[in-house]
Amino acid sequence: MGEDMVENGMAVSTGALDGVRVLDFTSVMAGPFATRMLADLGAQVIKVESLEGDQVRARPPLREGFSAYFGNLNAGKQSIACNLKSPEMVALIKQMVATCDILVENFRPGVMQRFGLDYATLRDINPRLIYCSISGYGQTGPKALFPAYAPVIHAASGFDMVNLRYQDEAERPATSGIFVADVLGGTHAFGAIQAALYQRERTGEGQHIDVSMLEAMVGMLVFETQEAQFPGDARRPLYTPLKTRDGFIMVAPTSPRNFEQLADAVGHPEWRDDPRFRTNADRNANWATLLALTEKWTEQHLAEEAETILSRHGVPCARYREIGELLDDPQLAVRGAFAEIGDGAGRYKVSNPPFRMSGSRVEARDHVSCLGQDGTALLAGLGLDEGRIAAVREQGDLL
C-alpha cells in the first residue's frame, strides 16, 4: 500500500502511536504479534535480538534465506542484535529505556531480572515506562516458571478437551497447528498497553502489565466455563459442516427469522409448521435433524451455488475456503485487509490489523530489518561515536 492509507475517501498518513518508542524483547509469536500491531499504528519498535536472532528468522516459508513468517510478524520494526549478558550492552539498553514509552518481553519469568532489565530496575530509570510481560502462565503462581508454547497452553486451558467433546467421532484431541494462544495473548497485550498509555496521560506514571496466555484462553471459553459450574442441561446446538457437491458449507440458522429464511431457501416452507422446529426450544432439541435435512439440499449443489442461494435469502452461511483463496478475496480487498511488504527475497502480502480508524493509518509498514541492521544507528542515537561502536562490535557484544 502507499505512504498514505485511504479512509472514507480521505488520505490518512498519521498513526495513532506516532512518536511512541517501544523496546521489543520478544521472539517467536505472541510478543511479536503484539509489537507488530504497535508498529502498524506508527510506533517506533526497536526489536532487541540475541546475536543469533529470533528463531523465526529461520522458519519456513523461506525464500533465499528470508522468512516470510518472520516478516509477517516483524514488519515495521528496527533490529539491534546484541549480547544481553554484557554489562556494557545492558548499560546502553538502559540508556534507551530512558527515552522509551513501552517495553514488551516474553521471556520466561525471571530472565529479564537476570539481565538486570526487570520492571523494578527500569522503573527507577523511567517512571513513565509501560512494561508488558507476556508468558504462558503469568508472572506469579505455581506454574509461572513452567515452559509453555501455544500448543501446551491449548492443552492446559481446557480448550482442546472442549473441542474434543464437540467432535462426536473423535477419540483424541485434535492435532495443533494454529497458535490461537499466541495470537490471543498478543492481542490482549496490545489492548492492555493502550489502556496503560491512556492511564499514563492522567497519572503521569507507567506500570507493569502481566499477560497470561493461559488466562487468555480460559477467558475465551465463555459458555464452557459456565457449563462446567452448572452442568446437566441438554447439549448446546453445534455447528457442523454440511457436504456439498464439491466441498462443505457452514450454515448457521440461529434466530427464528434465520430458520424461516432457511426453510424458504431450500424449498421446504412446511418446516415452519413442523412440530420438531416450531419454537427455538424445538429446534434446539432437534438441531441435528434440522442440519441433516438441510444437508440433503446442500449435497445437490456446488458450495458456491449453495452459498449464493442461502445468502440471497438472508441465511447466515459460508462455504469452506482455502487460505490461498482469501489472498484475492473481493471483500478483503475492499477492506484493505492485506498490505504488501518486501524483504531481501521479494514482495508478499501480510495481514493488517482487523480494525480501521478514520483518523489513523492502520497497516503493516513496508520494512523488514535484517538481523542487527539498525544497531549502529540506534547506538549513534545514544551519542556513541564510530570508534566506540566499533569497539563494542569487536568485543562480540554487537552484531
Side-chain angles (χ1 to χ4, degrees):
M1 302 181 77
E3 181 64 26
D4 291 351
M5 190 174 187
V6 176
E7 288 289 349
N8 298 323
M10 300 179 62
V12 179
S13 60
T14 301
L17 298 181
D18 283 358
V20 172
R21 283 169 56 90
V22 182
L23 274 176
D24 177 6
F25 289 84
T26 71
S27 61
V28 189
M29 194 168 186
F33 190 91
T35 52
R36 210 212 84 178
M37 283 201 288
L38 297 175
D40 291 350
L41 288 174
Q44 177 190 6
V45 178
I46 302 165
K47 187 175 177 71
V48 183
E49 301 185 66
S50 68
L51 295 172
E52 296 76 26
D54 186 335
Q55 60 183 278
V56 176
R57 285 186 180 273
R59 292 190 182 177
L62 288 168
R63 308 105 58 243
E64 300 176 26
F66 290 86
S67 168
Y69 186 15
F70 176 86
N72 195 326
L73 287 166
N74 293 283
K77 305 176 187 179
Q78 297 174 300
S79 171
I80 179 171
C82 59
N83 175 19
L84 289 178
K85 295 180 181 178
S86 161
E88 183 176 13
M89 202 65 237
V90 169
L92 292 171
I93 292 293
K94 287 179 177 178
Q95 286 183 240
M96 289 188 195
V97 167
T99 63
C100 285
D101 300 281
I102 300 163
L103 184 150
V104 187
E105 61 92 7
N106 66 345
F107 289 110
R108 200 182 305 183
V111 171
M112 288 292 276
Q113 185 174 27
R114 290 199 293 274
F115 290 145
L117 296 171
D118 54 293
Y119 175 64
T121 298
L122 300 187
R123 179 182 54 195
D124 291 337
I125 297 170
N126 181 358
R128 290 175 56 82
L129 182 68
I130 293 165
Y131 189 115
C132 180
S133 299
I134 307 170
S135 61
Y137 297 100
Q139 301 295 302
T140 58
K143 281 194 169 184
L145 298 180
F146 281 35
Y149 290 105
V152 175
I153 296 300
H154 296 170
S157 67
F159 173 82
D160 283 340
M161 293 306 292
V162 162
N163 200 40
L164 174 62
R165 290 205 309 274
Y166 290 158
Q167 314 306 314
D168 288 331
E169 298 178 5
E171 297 181 353
R172 60 192 297 171
T175 301
S176 184
I178 301 173
F179 303 143
V180 177
D182 279 325
V183 172
L184 198 59
T187 301
H188 280 298
F190 172 78
I193 288 167
Q194 308 315 308
L197 282 170
Y198 177 74
Q199 185 175 357
R200 193 182 71 175
E201 289 300 302
R202 294 186 288 114
T203 67
E205 296 289 326
Q207 61 185 293
H208 184 210
I209 298 167
D210 173 3
V211 177
S212 158
M213 290 162 57
L214 174 66
E215 291 163 54
M217 290 296 294
V218 170
M220 185 176 72
L221 302 174
V222 179
F223 171 83
E224 292 78 10
T225 300
Q226 301 310 313
E227 183 185 41
Q229 298 175 81
F230 308 104
D233 288 343
R235 190 184 194 190
R236 71 188 302 200
L238 299 180
Y239 298 91
T240 60
L242 304 183
K243 291 180 182 179
T244 66
R245 285 171 54 191
D246 63 343
F248 297 92
I249 188 169
M250 170 56 64
V251 182
T254 57
S255 73
R257 179 61 179 150
N258 293 157
F259 166 70
E260 293 172 357
Q261 292 163 329
L262 173 65
D264 292 341
V266 301
H268 286 287
E270 73 279 4
W271 286 359
R272 298 182 186 217
D273 298 317
D274 190 314
R276 295 172 298 177
F277 310 135
R278 192 168 294 142
T279 68
N280 265 333
D282 295 331
R283 288 190 292 277
N284 286 345
N286 295 282
W287 185 258
T289 300
L290 176 60
L291 293 184
L293 291 172
T294 302
E295 189 171 49
K296 289 183 178 180
W297 179 86
T298 62
E299 285 178 323
Q300 300 173 24
H301 297 80
L302 299 173
E304 190 168 2
E305 179 188 22
E307 181 183 53
T308 299
I309 295 171
L310 292 169
S311 296
R312 189 168 61 237
H313 282 81
V315 181
C317 67
R319 65 185 178 89
Y320 283 73
R321 297 188 290 176
E322 297 286 349
I323 289 292
E325 296 180 72
L326 302 181
L327 296 176
D328 297 309
D329 178 73
Q331 171 65 27
L332 296 179
V334 168
R335 291 280 299 165
F338 293 103
E340 187 176 276
I341 66 171
D343 57 19
R347 302 191 66 73
Y348 52 99
K349 292 180 178 180
V350 299
S351 56
N352 282 322
F355 53 86
R356 303 290 171 264
M357 299 171 67
S358 63
S360 175
R361 180 183 172 201
V362 183
E363 65 176 344
R365 275 30 178 185
D366 186 7
H367 173 78
V368 181
S369 285
C370 294
L371 179 61
Q373 176 180 332
D374 308 289
T376 297
L378 290 166
L379 293 186
L382 295 177
L384 276 68
D385 59 28
E386 292 182 8
R388 175 89 184 279
I389 295 172
V392 174
R393 185 170 282 115
E394 288 172 9
Q395 292 165 197
D397 293 333
L398 180 73
L399 191 65

